Amino acid sequence: VSRIVGIGLDVVDLRRFARLLERHGPAALRRICRDGEVRIAEGPGRIAHVAGLFAAKEATMKALGLVEDPCDWRHIEVLRSPSGACDLALHGRVREAATRLGAESFALSLSHEGDYATAVVITTIHETTP
Amino acid sequence: MTDSTTAARTDSIRRILKEHGRLSVNAAELADDADLYQAGMTSHASVNVMLALEGEFDVEFPDHMLRRGVFESVSAIRSAIDELVRG
């Protein structure tokens, strides 16, 4: 059976996030995203896309109990399957934290509505029943 | 490091906190050791602060310094900047 060991939720205001990207441009993207992670290069959907990635990374840190000890956002990678489903790949210190927690699988859900992007991450471990 | 360098860095940090920290109090009037998160800085605002600090001082915070404690006060930020500038 699976048991939930962590849950994280994050909401990003797209207007504030747009200002962050305007102010810091490529530097902001380099600090938040891994190479190839940003799939929308230009256009109005780009801000919502990157804000969703950021929300997913913040939600992952919360689910892993890293709020008081945040990590490099680039150590959390948001993957997309051809069907559009989201998944996570963890690297570096975030992966170590997940291992310590015993987290074996992750569920990520992203949503955009109006001026907000949201993400929920649930981490689970698998237990065998006696 | 001279007193004037320390003062200049502190002024720059306070200016960045005022512009990007979304604090509920005036950054210029905060004590050096006042808790910035208690003063209203969110994790999202801290991203803005971090990027602005990197641009201002031409440094990059490495992974081991991306900790809450590094950004929790003016003095903590100044210590981190001093360390990064020294190389």
Side-chain angles (χ1 to χ4, degrees):
Chain A
V1 295
S2 295
R3 182 165 66 88
I4 293 173
V5 291
I7 184 167
L9 165 69
D10 198 65
V11 181
V12 174
D13 184 328
L14 300 187
R15 295 159 296 188
R16 287 179 52 201
F17 205 77
R19 287 197 290 275
L20 182 147
L21 294 182
E22 280 170 17
R23 282 179 182 144
H24 305 292
L29 288 182
R30 277 199 305 273
R31 291 307 256 124
I32 294 169
C33 301
R34 295 175 71 85
D35 290 343
E37 200 174 15
V38 179
R39 294 166 182 273
I40 300 176
E42 298 293 340
R46 183 168 184 259
I47 289 168
H49 172 58
V50 179
L53 295 176
F54 184 75
K57 292 162 189 265
E58 289 283 307
T60 302
M61 287 196 209
K62 291 175 182 175
L64 292 172
L66 292 170
V67 174
E68 296 295 323
D69 189 21
C71 296
D72 190 325
W73 296 276
R74 293 167 296 191
H75 287 171
I76 301 167
E77 183 175 9
V78 179
L79 305 171
R80 288 271 188 177
S81 72
S83 69
C86 299
D87 201 359
L88 290 169
L90 305 183
H91 309 272
R93 200 150 56 88
V94 181
R95 185 173 179 169
E96 292 167 9
T99 301
R100 278 198 303 276
L101 190 63
E104 293 170 331
S105 62
F106 300 85
L108 163 64
S109 181
L110 282 168
S111 185
H112 300 83
E113 174 60 39
D115 292 324
Y116 298 93
T118 61
V120 174
V121 171
I122 293 173
T123 64
T124 57
I125 60 174
H126 302 294
E127 294 175 333
T128 53
T129 52
Chain B
M1 189 168 44
T2 64
D3 289 346
S4 61
T5 303
T6 299
R9 281 184 188 161
T10 303
D11 288 346
S12 297
I13 291 166
R14 289 183 185 281
R15 175 173 48 77
I16 286 168
L17 286 169
K18 185 174 183 179
E19 292 174 6
H20 302 281
R22 297 176 62 83
L23 304 178
S24 56
V25 297
N26 186 346
E29 296 171 358
L30 271 176
D32 271 11
D33 60 352
D35 189 316
L36 297 176
Y37 293 100
Q38 286 195 3
M41 188 167 73
T42 64
S43 62
H44 294 176
S46 71
V47 180
N48 268 306
V49 168
M50 182 195 73
L51 290 166
L53 289 166
E54 289 185 341
E56 175 80 15
F57 296 104
D58 193 24
V59 296
E60 180 169 320
F61 288 91
D63 181 52
H64 75 271
M65 292 179 87
L66 294 179
R67 293 172 188 274
R68 191 178 176 91
V70 170
F71 298 95
E72 73 182 0
S73 67
V74 171
S75 58
I77 292 172
R78 189 177 57 226
S79 296
I81 294 295
D82 290 346
E83 185 180 334
L84 290 170
V85 169
R86 271 200 309 271

